[in-house]
Amino acid sequence: MAEHPGVPTPHRPADTGGQTHTLGLLYPPADRNRVYTTMQLAFIGGVAEAAASYGYDLLLSPADTDDDPSFRRLVGEGRWPDGPWRTGGEGREEAERPCAGVPRVDGVIVMEVRREDNRVGHLAEAGFPFVAIGRNLRADAAGWVDLDFAGLASACVQHLADLGHRRIAFVNRSERLFYSGYGFARLGDEGYTEAMTKLGLTPRAYLCDDDIVSGQEVVERILRDDPATTSLVTQNEAALEGLYRGLTRHGRSVPRDFSVVGVAASPWAEQVSPPLTAADIPAKEMSRVAVDLLVERLRSPGSDPRRVLMKPLIALRASTGRCRPVPGSEPEPEFPDFDLDF
């Protein structure tokens, strides 16, 4: 395990006074069919393992907003349980009103953070101990651990540009995630667009659902919009196999005719053929740091929240190569006109 200065030693429960010896994890599903991705499961498993090393149990809550009943129960808030009306003392009837309860957890870790996330705002205003995996517009209100998605997307563009690629597409996550404001989807897009603009290149970004079929379909759109595209950057690992299949269907061999680079967990990057050149997402390490930061907050409530921004190096594998322009895509060479008199 990596050492983090000032972080409590595992295997000794924090003295929080909360008495639950339980941490909460908010993990709203991102998939439109409410199917958890391998990456989500990796984070959930990593948090559970790290919490256990401190002697904590883990309570999961699939709460997407702060008015979700699961969220309210987790932090000890709620409504009277027997309907919109209940009988008060001496036969009086009272309208439904909030009731204070006992929190079910000592602290909360928030996953899948949106740029504007009312769960984060609610916890901050209530003074409830929490940290986030990801950042949002209230990043100063809490401790967090995150990847530098903007910086990584920019580095991927630069890697392709160094290989001579000029037509570089970007495959992001789903429309639902992007327009609901998920931080990693927005930051990745910003980093890609800024890098392309600085290089004087035309950015072309695409949203893509988290499945193989969607990966194939987005390749169709990319090559229909610009058949001369020679490379792409992706942070949608769930669609990665579909991207490869779509390129094969169009006669593009990776990396001979087309280069692919991305931000992905190493199991995904290493299972495709050829293995993906990528900035590997350290899900287990990020989960460990999130738990470390939360336990630190529980043991030292008055301390300033800490933030950890990770930027892993791009692991060079076998999916990128020198640019080979698509035949017919390059402009015809211009020759000077000679005025010859025979």
Side-chain angles (χ1 to χ4, degrees), residues 10-305:
H11 310 296
R12 182 166 60 85
D15 182 14
T16 68
Q19 304 301 317
T20 71
H21 298 295
T22 302
L23 303 181
L25 177 64
L26 300 176
Y27 66 110
D31 186 86
R32 62 182 176 180
N33 297 317
R34 302 189 71 82
V35 174
Y36 299 106
T37 67
T38 301
M39 178 59 67
Q40 287 176 311
L41 295 175
F43 274 106
I44 293 170
V47 170
E49 182 179 331
S53 73
Y54 282 107
Y56 281 99
D57 294 327
L58 185 66
L59 182 60
L60 304 179
S61 171
D64 199 26
T65 64
D66 69 340
D67 59 0
D68 190 298
S70 179
F71 176 90
R72 298 285 182 160
R73 290 192 298 270
L74 196 74
V75 298
E77 302 172 1
R79 314 295 294 185
W80 291 112
D82 23 333
W85 296 87
R86 74 183 298 266
T87 302
E90 299 180 358
R92 296 192 308 273
E93 287 194 333
E94 301 174 345
E96 183 187 59
R97 66 175 186 266
C99 61
V102 177
R104 302 174 70 181
V105 297
D106 295 337
V108 173
I109 294 171
V110 187
M111 278 179 57
E112 306 271 340
V113 177
R114 298 183 297 276
R115 300 295 287 275
E116 295 184 6
D117 196 313
N118 59 19
R119 300 171 302 168
V120 170
H122 188 119
L123 292 167
E125 291 166 10
F128 199 93
F130 79 101
V131 299
I133 299 177
R135 291 164 288 164
N136 76 344
L137 297 179
R138 296 199 56 174
D140 60 335
W144 49 257
V145 58
D146 199 8
L147 283 187
D148 182 7
F149 283 100
L152 292 175
S154 177
C156 288
V157 170
Q158 188 62 57
H159 172 66
L160 293 170
D162 290 344
L163 292 171
H165 295 276
R166 293 295 177 267
R167 287 179 161 99
I168 306 169
F170 179 58
V171 177
N172 204 340
R173 299 292 298 278
S174 70
E175 183 174 320
R176 174 179 175 270
L177 281 178
F178 186 83
Y179 288 111
S180 61
Y182 276 80
F184 54 84
R186 292 298 182 92
L187 289 168
D189 180 79
E190 290 167 10
Y192 162 79
T193 302
E194 182 177 350
M196 293 288 286
T197 302
K198 284 183 177 180
L199 291 168
L201 306 177
T202 303
R204 289 188 297 112
Y206 296 81
L207 300 175
C208 177
D209 286 336
D210 300 338
D211 58 73
I212 293 173
V213 172
S214 296
Q216 293 175 286
E217 291 173 348
V218 80
V219 169
E220 293 278 349
R221 302 205 311 270
I222 290 170
L223 297 181
R224 182 176 63 244
D225 292 346
D226 183 4
T229 303
T230 61
S231 61
L232 66 82
V233 176
T234 183
Q235 58 181 26
N236 190 331
E237 58 187 12
L240 183 58
E241 185 178 342
L243 297 178
Y244 274 40
R245 289 185 185 180
L247 290 168
T248 299
R249 179 177 296 175
H250 280 270
R252 307 293 179 91
S253 174
V254 178
R256 185 191 66 193
D257 310 308
F258 202 101
S259 289
V260 182
V261 63
V263 180
S266 56
W268 288 85
E270 293 168 355
Q271 286 173 8
V272 292
S273 181
L276 180 72
T277 290
D280 297 337
I281 299 177
K284 187 171 184 178
E285 180 67 5
M286 291 178 69
S287 300
R288 161 63 65 184
V289 172
V291 174
D292 287 346
L293 295 178
L294 182 55
V295 173
E296 181 181 77
R297 293 288 291 160
L298 294 174
R299 290 183 178 170
S300 304
S303 62
D304 292 332

